[in-house]
Amino acid sequence: MSGVESLEKEAERSEAAAQKASLLEVRDLRVWFDTPRGLVRAVDGVDLTVDAGRTLGIVGESGSGKSVLSRAIMKILAPSAQVRPGSEIRFNGVDLATVSPKKNKHLWGVDLSMVFQDPMTSLTPVMTIGQQLTETLRFHLNLDRAQAKAEAIRLLTLVGIPEPASRFAQHPHHLSGGMRQRVTIALAIACSPTLLIADEPTTALDVTVQQQILDLLQGLQQKSNMGMILITHDLGVVAGRADSIAVMYAGRIVETGPTRQLFAHMRHPYTRA
Ligand SMILES: Nc1ncnc2c1ncn2[C@@H]1O[C@H](COP(=O)(O)OP(=O)(O)OP(=O)(O)O)[C@@H](O)[C@H]1O
Ligand SMILES: [Mg+2]
């Protein structure tokens, strides 16, 4: 076999492997922090899988490691975080540890996207809502100025922002917490990500809006076969929406399974509570 042929075969093989692989596979993920109080094992041996078009709900009490886990998947951990050797995060079969920083920029937004617990994490105070949305749209989707503006206003409407055209020109501090959270959701879904991690996406919102936003994400998922990780304190939020649920406690997944099964036989005290 010539060199070219074997390269082609190799490419076919890895493509086939990627087709078979789950969208996201996390194996034995450990993220530790050295702190003045001692070593914090924020994530301590987590395994999980998310398939395209499916939702994994992650529930767990405050401090159980849900946000550190999400940040590890997004590759945006604090510099002091140590990802322990042997930890593995595969996206479409590709080990994310091997992806270059330059490729990362394209991974974020288009492949992997996240709604942060604190809306100000993903919003820049010095730019208008419109600038932030259009910058993302132009960078990833090659839209021209007018197209990006039209798309940004469509997204603001989609997440339920009244008077989107005037909101477009405002800075984040002009918006209420709930409105800011909707903007971060618009930003996160702007480029139709393959996998969306939503970290407490609706805590700042009242119950009716919560349902609307979750319906919106679910609709998007059905349209584009997006995989989703939905993180919450509230089992009620994921009960009707997640295909499977993982319960985190002290950095570990203490219980996991298809949603219906988990509700039928809850073992861990946290889940029962
Ligand atoms: N940058 C950091 N430095 C040191 N410790 C950290 C850091 N970030 C998180 N931790 C610790 O890691 C643990 C897990 O935190 P994490 O934010 O993931 O919890 P969580 O499950 O998201 O909680 P919540 O439900 O309140 O959002 C906590 O003990 C937290 O104090
Ligand atoms: Mg958190």
Side-chain angles (χ1 to χ4, degrees), residues 33 35 40 42 61-68 78 80 117 200 233:
F33 293 96
T35 75
V40 175
E61 63 179 21
S62 190
S64 55
K66 306 181 297 295
S67 293
V68 173
S80 60
Q117 202 166 3
E200 305 269 4
H233 283 94

Side-chain angles (χ1 to χ4, degrees), residues 227-242:
M228 190 150 76
I229 297 181
L230 185 57
I231 297 175
T232 172
H233 283 94
D234 183 357
L235 261 177
V237 166
V238 288
R241 303 190 185 261

Side-chain angles (χ1 to χ4, degrees), residues 190-256:
C191 306
S192 306
T194 317
L195 176 74
L196 179 72
I197 304 179
D199 190 358
E200 305 269 4
T202 58
T203 10
L205 308 172
D206 71 52
V207 180
T208 337
V209 182
Q210 245 183 53
Q211 296 305 329
Q212 284 165 7
I213 295 283
L214 292 170
D215 288 345
L216 170 74
L217 293 179
Q218 221 166 9
L220 216 71
Q221 173 171 50
Q222 277 154 11
K223 226 166 50 191
S224 64
N225 208 27
M226 173 175 86
M228 190 150 76
I229 297 181
L230 185 57
I231 297 175
T232 172
H233 283 94
D234 183 357
L235 261 177
V237 166
V238 288
R241 303 190 185 261
D243 299 286
S244 52
I245 292 181
V247 180
M248 272 192 93
Y249 184 80
R252 297 175 187 220
I253 291 178
V254 290
E255 196 151 4
T256 185

